[in-house]
Amino acid sequence: MYKSMDKLKKTLSLRDSEEDQGIVTQKSSFFNFDYENISDATTLSWSTRIKGFIICFVLGAVLSVLGSCLFFLPKNGVIIFAVLYTLGNLLSLSSTCFLMGPVNQIKKMFAGTRVIATILVFVMIALTLVCAFAVKNKPLTLVCCVLQFLALLWYSISYIPFARDAIKKCFSACLE
C-alpha cells in the first residue's frame, strides 16, 4: 500500500515537460513570487491529502448530480442547476490541489500544453452562470453546461500522455 502511495506521490509531483518548466519559470519571475517557499510550507500529511482529494471530488460529483436533478424545477430550477453544477465542477477540479498542492496545480493548469483548455473551462463556467442568471434561458444554459463538461473533459485529458492526439485521430478517421 505504501509503495503505491509513494509512486502516486512521485508521479504527481513531477513537472510535465521541459516546455512547461520554461513557461512556469517565466510566469513565476514575471510575478516575482516565490513558489518554492509556499510549496514547502504545506503541513498536510500524504494520507490527509488523499482524504481531502476524495472528499472534495465526491462532494463535487454529488453537487453536479444534484444540480442536474434540480434542472426541471419550475421557476428557478435553471439557476439552481447552473450554480450547483458549476460549483460541483469547480470543487472536483480543485480537489487535485490536495494531491499536487495549490501552487503546483495552478502552474500545471497554465502550462503551455493546457493553457487554452484552462481558459476555455473558465469561460464556459462564466457563460453557464451568465446564461442562468442574466439570460435565464434553459436551453442555452443546458448547452453551456454541456460545453463546460466537454471543456473539463478536454482539460482532464491533457494530463494523460498522448490522449489528445488519439482522440483527434479517432475523430478525424470518423469524419473521413
Side-chain angles (χ1 to χ4, degrees):
M1 168 112 174
Y2 291 113
K3 288 182 182 181
S4 62
M5 294 281 264
D6 288 339
K7 286 181 184 178
L8 179 64
K9 187 176 179 180
K10 286 178 185 176
T11 302
L12 291 172
S13 65
L14 291 177
R15 295 183 186 214
D16 287 343
S17 67
E18 293 298 321
E19 177 185 326
D20 292 349
Q21 288 178 6
I23 290 172
V24 169
T25 304
Q26 291 170 357
K27 288 185 180 194
S28 63
S29 63
F30 175 75
F31 290 115
N32 290 330
F33 203 73
D34 189 10
Y35 293 116
E36 286 73 24
N37 287 339
I38 290 178
S39 296
D40 293 340
T42 57
T43 58
L44 297 176
S45 69
W46 186 243
S47 63
T48 303
R49 287 177 183 235
I50 294 291
K51 290 173 190 172
F53 165 76
I54 291 170
I55 290 169
C56 280
F57 188 80
V58 169
L59 188 58
V62 166
L63 283 176
S64 294
V65 170
L66 180 63
S68 298
C69 292
L70 298 175
F71 178 74
F72 295 104
L73 285 178
K75 234 180 183 183
N76 292 330
V78 68
I79 294 174
I80 295 168
F81 162 70
V83 169
L84 289 178
Y85 184 80
T86 301
L87 281 175
N89 281 339
L90 285 172
L91 197 55
S92 295
L93 184 65
S94 64
S95 67
T96 56
C97 289
F98 281 100
L99 297 177
M100 294 184 239
V103 174
N104 196 18
Q105 173 67 16
I106 290 170
K107 283 196 248 182
K108 288 185 180 207
M109 285 176 74
F110 291 100
T113 56
R114 65 183 63 89
V115 68
I116 294 171
T118 301
I119 291 170
L120 190 60
V121 166
F122 289 123
V123 165
M124 292 316 305
I125 286 171
L127 282 177
T128 300
L129 295 175
V130 165
C131 288
F133 283 105
V135 180
K136 294 185 182 180
N137 184 333
K138 278 188 178 186
L140 190 57
T141 303
L142 187 59
V143 167
C144 286
C145 283
V146 169
L147 291 174
Q148 179 182 350
F149 171 78
L150 291 173
L152 277 167
L153 183 64
W154 189 251
Y155 166 80
S156 299
I157 289 172
S158 73
Y159 285 96
I160 303 170
F162 307 110
R164 284 181 172 179
D165 292 334
I167 289 172
K168 286 178 187 176
K169 285 180 184 177
C170 217
F171 276 107
S172 67
C174 290
L175 296 175
E176 290 179 354

